[in-house]
Each structure stands twice: as C-alpha cells, then as structure tokens.
Amino acid sequence: MDYLEIEGGYRLNGEVTISGAKNAALPIIAATILSDKAVVLKNLPNVVDIRTLLKLLAMLGAKVEHSDTEAKIDCSSITSTKAVYEIVAQMRASILVLGPLLGRFKHCEVSLPGGCAIGQRPIDLHIKAVEALGAEVSLEHGYVVAKAKNGLKGNKIIFDKITVGGTENAVMAAAMAEGVTEIVNAAKEPEVVQLCEMLDMGGAKIEGIGSSRLKIHGTNGKPLEFKEPIEIIPDRIEAGTYLCVGAITKSEITLKNVNTEHIQTSIEKLESMGCSFNIKKDEITIFPAKELESVNIVTAEYPGFPTDMQAQFMAVATLANKESLIEERLFENRFMHVSELNRLGADIWLKGNVAAVRPVKELIGAEVMATDLRASSALVIAALAAKGVTKIRRIYHLDRGYDRLEEKLSKIGAKVVRKKS
Ligand code: EPZ
C-alpha cells in the first residue's frame, strides 16, 4: 500500500495552482443525468472520488469520456437506475444520483451508504425531500428504493437541519418535476450555488440562488440541456489547506486559480493568527506570522467556518503561542486526527466536541495513519513542520480529494515522496 514520506522543517516558497472543487464537481456530474444530451465538464480535479462517480454513471449506461481535467458525459443511453453497493460503499456522495435518477426516470435504487469515519451521516433528509415531491420510498435489502409513478410534483421542502447533499438532491429532483418546489433552510455553500446555476442554465429556472430559500420551477418532464461546457469552481478546501501549509511552515506561498471570496473565513482566522495576505482577483499570497497566535474556531455551515478545514487548522494551532479551542458542530466524530497529531508531538485534549490545542515548541516526525480525507491533510500539514521524517499510511484517503498533492508540494520545495510498503 502507498504511503507518504515527508521530511519536515523546511521553508517552502512558490506557487500552487488550485484545482477544481471535488464537492462542486460531484453533484454536477450527478446532474448530467438530468440531460439526454452530452454535457462537457471542465476544470475537474483529477481525484479518485471523481473517477468513482464517473464509473457509477458508466455502470448506469452513460457514455463517459474522461481525461485528466475534462469529461464528456452523455446520459442519453442510461439503461439502469440502480446505484450498486460496490460503488456507494466506496463513496457516500454516490447518494447524489438519487434526486436526478428519480427526477428523470421516475424510479431508482440506491444502496445505503453504510458507516463513515467522521460520524453517522444519515440520509433521512434526502429521503424526506424526495418524499415531499411525491416519491414513494422504501428500504429493501440495503437499498433505498424510490418510485414516482406519475413523476415528481413540486412542493415545499423544509429542512430541519442544513444539509449540503440533501439540498443538492432536492434541487436536482425538483428540476424535472411538475410545478414549483420551494426549499426552506437550504444550504448556501458555493458548491450548491454552482449546481443551482447549472440547473438554471439547463432549463429549470431557480430563484433565490445563494440564499437559504430556493424556488425551483421544474421542467415538467423535459430533460435539461447544457449547451456550454461547465467549468468547475476552484476548490476552496484545497486552497485553505495550502494556506495552512504556508502558515505552519512559515512560508510565502501564492495560490493561483482561487475564489478568494469562498475562503474568507480561512483568511480571517489565519489573519487572527498573525498571517497576512496579498489578495488579487483569483490569486492570493500568504505571508507567514512572526509568531503564530492561538485561534478559536467553531465549525458552521457556509458562510461560517467549514468543518472541512477544522483538522487543518488544528494542525496549525499545535504550534501557536497559546491554547486554541476548536469546536466541531457538524459531525460528531470528526476528531480522528487528534490522536495522530499527538503522535507527532502535539498536545491536544478532547472533551465531547471541543478540542483544546495546547501549544508545543515543536512537532517531531513519526509514523501516523490517515483516517479520512481532511484528517489526512492535517497530518501532511503537521508533517511539513515536524522535525525529521513522518510516514503517513493509508493515503488512499488523500487521493480521494487532493489533486496531485505530492507534485504540488514538491514544486514549492517540500520533501515529499510516495512510497510502497
Ligand atoms: C458535504 O457532505 C461535503 N461532501 C462534506 O465534505 C462536508 O463536510 C459537508 O457537506 C459539510 O459541509 C460533499 O459535498 C460531497 P451535510 P454532506 O448533509 O452533504 C446531517 C469532504 O471532506 N445530515 O451537509 O454529506 C449530517 O450527518 C467531505 O470533502 C442528517 O442528519 O453533509 C451532518 O451532521 C466530508 N441527515 C449535517 O447534517 C441527512 O439526511 C451536515 O451534513 C443529511 C445530513
């Protein structure tokens, strides 16, 4: 199995080009199911999760051409509406095919995702949303079986809790429904916004894009049409991760192809830790702090501090001058990185969903294990600052969401190699 060997303690310098956002690309790939014509996607990140979803679409019968950052997906040839366990178990985001399959074909079967390293992650809100649009849903042999014999009908969907994937499935299901669907307490993440803009362009008119109240005018069974290629937005979490690399290694790093508006909370937190920035339209340079200040973080839905940046900031906070407090409010178990960071010499204490990160003078290389995508990137960040060599095992988690990580890090001077054991 591959592992990463990182020799830490070096200053880095240079430019990193940020890839397209995995979490924007996934629902957009799922949304191509709503069309019976070919759709071209550009600026896709070259990561395993994207390939997994494309494989699922191909298994459903879609014609998929994929090369590095581009894909042409033609869902006119779909013959199956069953998302099998083999794929869904590899990637929970496969649940995103529920809304579009049901919307276009009036039935589908999607395997229940099963366990997850960062928390329970139920899909009850996805199911309630499609039920509100008239689907009959049952659970059969580990599969969510959804049927809408006469097609989905627009209705009001009120989410008890803000859910990114739930909102995405709801808008995709509503896109080809009859009549108007209103979504209350919708997620406002940039990835949800791009999906809504795509559907709006494709023929399902959407009001309130970017707000918590969306109104979707369904096409009444008419497939959507995406004439122009869709360019995936830059990955705000990848960008935030490289800013954390700059902060912890005390390096000046410039990020290209970023949307700086999407990373405001990360910028503000790093400023409060003593870093400064030069911000241009789609470019940002971080200037490291002389001494890293402590930071207090509470994760929240967008535009709040992203849960997907919690682990990376925790890594940076280990070397701050005072104790930092980090509270995780979205996922109950998203602290798997704590014990691994402590193996690198960090001093982090957990109580419930709050981590107290006590300052240490230095981190020291060790063997650690990646547990989920963002936890893994926190280990990379810590390893880059740690004295000596760190070996990070189970890096298939990193490969799911970070495009050419070693290449990008090596280009700015990091000593990172991928090895096989
Ligand atoms: C998306 O997951 C992202 N994944 C996650 O990124 C991200 O951490 C998360 O949103 C929050 O920002 C993708 O976009 C593919 P949610 P999602 O539904 O949609 C609860 C990464 O590292 N909930 O917004 O699954 C849920 O348990 C990944 O790239 C229900 O209770 O997240 C959680 O507590 C990891 N019932 C909260 O809502 C449901 O039916 C928010 O989850 C659905 C969700």
Side-chain angles (χ1 to χ4, degrees):
M1 238 195 280
D2 288 6
Y3 67 92
L4 277 189
E5 193 172 277
I6 299 181
E7 191 184 328
Y10 296 97
R11 287 246 166 122
L12 313 176
N13 186 265
E15 286 177 6
V16 176
T17 300
I18 298 304
S19 299
K22 163 184 82 81
N23 290 348
L26 291 171
I28 283 175
I29 291 171
T32 63
I33 293 172
L34 292 165
S35 181
D36 60 358
K37 298 202 170 64
V39 187
V40 175
L41 307 182
K42 294 193 167 184
N43 199 35
L44 287 171
N46 193 354
V47 296
V48 171
D49 275 8
I50 297 300
R51 294 195 284 277
T52 305
L53 191 56
L54 290 174
K55 186 171 161 197
L56 172 57
L57 260 60
M59 281 170 86
L60 300 178
K63 288 188 206 86
V64 177
E65 291 168 31
H66 181 214
S67 63
D68 195 12
T69 58
E70 275 194 40
K72 188 173 174 190
I73 306 169
D74 181 350
C75 291
S76 62
S77 50
I78 285 188
T79 46
S80 160
T81 57
K82 184 169 181 172
V84 295
Y85 178 67
E86 179 198 339
I87 298 279
V88 184
Q90 282 174 42
M91 188 185 67
R92 302 181 63 82
S94 314
I95 189 69
L96 290 170
V97 299
L98 172 75
L101 280 178
L102 189 58
R104 184 162 157 219
F105 298 102
K106 303 181 184 162
H107 57 85
C108 69
E109 287 173 62
V110 182
S111 168
L112 273 173
C116 174
I118 64 173
Q120 267 190 35
R121 304 186 75 186
I123 55 158
D124 56 316
L125 301 173
H126 299 242
I127 293 174
K128 274 190 194 153
V130 294
E131 280 177 340
L133 302 184
E136 275 175 37
V137 181
S138 56
L139 289 180
E140 294 172 23
H141 310 291
Y143 280 77
V144 177
V145 180
K147 294 176 193 151
K149 224 171 49 202
N150 301 316
L152 295 171
K153 307 254 182 303
N155 198 357
K156 195 167 189 167
I157 299 171
I158 304 175
F159 282 117
D160 296 342
K161 195 172 187 176
I162 300 175
T163 158
V164 173
T167 304
E168 290 165 346
N169 249 332
V171 286
M172 289 189 280
M176 281 181 65
E178 179 191 332
V180 180
T181 297
E182 197 178 350
I183 303 179
V184 179
N185 207 20
K188 296 182 287 194
E189 270 66 5
E191 295 77 19
V192 176
V193 169
Q194 188 174 27
L195 174 69
C196 290
E197 284 169 352
M198 171 194 184
L199 299 179
D200 183 71
M201 247 171 29
K205 291 294 146 217
I206 304 186
E207 295 172 60
I209 295 180
S211 79
S212 58
R213 200 175 266 263
L214 297 169
K215 226 177 196 185
I216 302 115
H217 299 260
T219 61
N220 198 7
K222 184 168 174 258
L224 274 54
E225 198 174 339
F226 307 105
K227 289 186 184 141
E228 301 295 323
I230 294 155
E231 175 105 15
I232 307 297
I233 57 170
D235 193 319
R236 63 194 169 103
I237 306 302
E238 189 196 20
T241 302
Y242 283 101
L243 292 182
C244 287
V245 168
I248 200 167
T249 60
K250 299 201 173 301
S251 309
E252 193 180 309
I253 298 173
T254 297
L255 308 185
K256 303 254 182 190
N257 185 35
V258 279
N259 185 325
T260 50
E261 229 178 82
H262 294 169
I263 53 170
Q264 269 316 310
T265 46
S266 291
I267 293 173
E268 278 161 26
K269 287 296 173 193
L270 287 169
E271 272 173 349
S272 77
M273 295 178 90
C275 301
S276 52
F277 294 91
N278 185 6
I279 302 174
K280 294 186 190 155
K281 199 173 148 268
D282 56 2
E283 189 181 305
I284 182 168
T285 303
I286 179 168
F287 302 102
K290 281 206 176 67
E291 181 184 57
L292 273 173
E293 311 269 345
S294 60
V295 67
N296 289 331
I297 286 172
V298 179
T299 63
E301 296 85 2
Y302 192 84
F305 185 89
T307 171
D308 289 348
M309 284 304 303
Q310 179 256 104
Q312 299 91 316
F313 269 79
M314 192 180 293
V316 179
T318 59
L319 294 179
N321 59 358
K322 291 196 207 75
E323 179 176 286
S324 300
L325 289 178
I326 299 183
E327 184 176 343
E328 173 57 57
R329 291 230 180 127
L330 270 79
F331 294 109
E332 69 276 12
N333 196 25
R334 208 170 197 179
F335 279 132
M336 306 280 277
H337 42 287
V338 168
S339 47
E340 298 304 300
L341 287 172
N342 284 346
R343 287 180 56 75
L344 294 169
D347 185 11
I348 307 169
W349 293 81
L350 260 186
K351 191 158 187 218
N353 65 336
V354 180
V357 188
R358 297 185 183 153
V360 292
K361 287 244 148 29
E362 61 180 10
L363 297 171
I364 298 172
E367 285 204 28
V368 289
M369 210 155 65
T371 48
D372 76 76
L373 175 58
R374 309 304 170 186
S376 318
S377 65
L379 297 179
V380 171
I381 289 167
L384 288 168
K387 234 166 100 181
V389 173
T390 297
K391 285 183 183 172
I392 306 178
R393 302 207 179 266
R394 300 202 181 165
I395 53 165
Y396 48 82
H397 291 291
L398 279 169
D399 295 335
R400 291 185 54 178
Y402 284 94
D403 188 3
R404 287 167 291 135
L405 181 77
E406 306 101 90
E407 191 187 312
K408 291 188 188 189
L409 284 173
S410 301
K411 204 178 140 229
I412 54 173
K415 299 198 183 305
V416 186
V417 269
R418 181 182 288 252
K419 292 192 167 173
K420 282 196 190 298
S421 56

